[in-house]
Amino acid sequence: QVQLVESGGGLVQPGGSLRLACAASGLTLDYLTIGWFRQAPGKEHEGVSCISSRGGYTFYADSVKGRFTISRDNAKKMVYLQMNSLKPEDTAVYYCAAAGDLTTVQRMCVYLRKDYWGQGTQVTVSS
C-alpha cells in the first residue's frame, strides 16, 4: 500500500521557519518525481516545489523562490521542504505527492500532475 505521510506543520510567526517532511512507504522513491503542493481556503491548488528522481532538477513557484528549499533522501524514503522567511500568505495545507520519473518537475508543479499524494499538514503563519 502506497503511503505518503507529511509532518512538520504548525503555527509560526511571520519571518519564521518550518521544515516539512514527507515519509514514503510502499514504493521506492528512486524513480519518482516528488513535489510539495499547497491549498489555502478559497484559493487554487499550487505546486510549490518539485524535485526530480535523483535531485538534479528542481522547480519553485515564483511565490517561494529564494525562501523555500526542497530536498530528498531516497535511501531513507524522505522528502523535505525547508521554509524560511514565512509570510501570512504561505498559510495553507501542504501535501507531498509523487509521479513517475518521466514527469518533469515543470509538468508536475505547473500542471499538478501526480499519481500519489498524502493527507497534508497545516501550516499557519500568523502573529
Side-chain angles (χ1 to χ4, degrees), residues 22 29-30 51 53 71-80:
C22 173
L29 293 187
D30 291 8
I51 186 168
S53 58
S71 61
R72 62 191 294 162
D73 185 333
N74 287 355
K76 294 183 178 179
K77 295 188 176 183
M78 295 292 296
V79 184
Y80 306 97

Side-chain angles (χ1 to χ4, degrees), residues 47-51 57-62 65 70 105-106 109-110:
V48 176
S49 182
C50 295
I51 186 168
Y57 297 95
T58 56
F59 175 95
Y60 293 94
D62 288 342
K65 277 182 183 176
I70 191 171
V105 292
Q106 289 85 354
C109 262
V110 175

Side-chain angles (χ1 to χ4, degrees), residues 20-87:
L20 303 184
C22 173
S25 61
L27 74 174
T28 177
L29 293 187
D30 291 8
Y31 306 105
L32 295 172
T33 301
I34 303 293
W36 284 95
F37 299 79
R38 68 185 181 187
Q39 185 166 30
K43 295 185 178 180
E44 294 184 354
H45 272 96
E46 179 182 19
V48 176
S49 182
C50 295
I51 186 168
S52 59
S53 58
R54 302 303 174 122
Y57 297 95
T58 56
F59 175 95
Y60 293 94
D62 288 342
S63 57
V64 306
K65 277 182 183 176
R67 300 188 297 121
F68 290 11
T69 303
I70 191 171
S71 61
R72 62 191 294 162
D73 185 333
N74 287 355
K76 294 183 178 179
K77 295 188 176 183
M78 295 292 296
V79 184
Y80 306 97
L81 185 68
Q82 178 67 43
M83 306 187 296
N84 299 328
S85 302
L86 282 162
K87 305 175 181 179

Side-chain angles (χ1 to χ4, degrees), residues 4-19:
L4 296 170
V5 180
E6 303 88 347
S7 61
L11 173 64
V12 64
Q13 292 187 341
S17 297
L18 283 175
R19 188 193 194 206

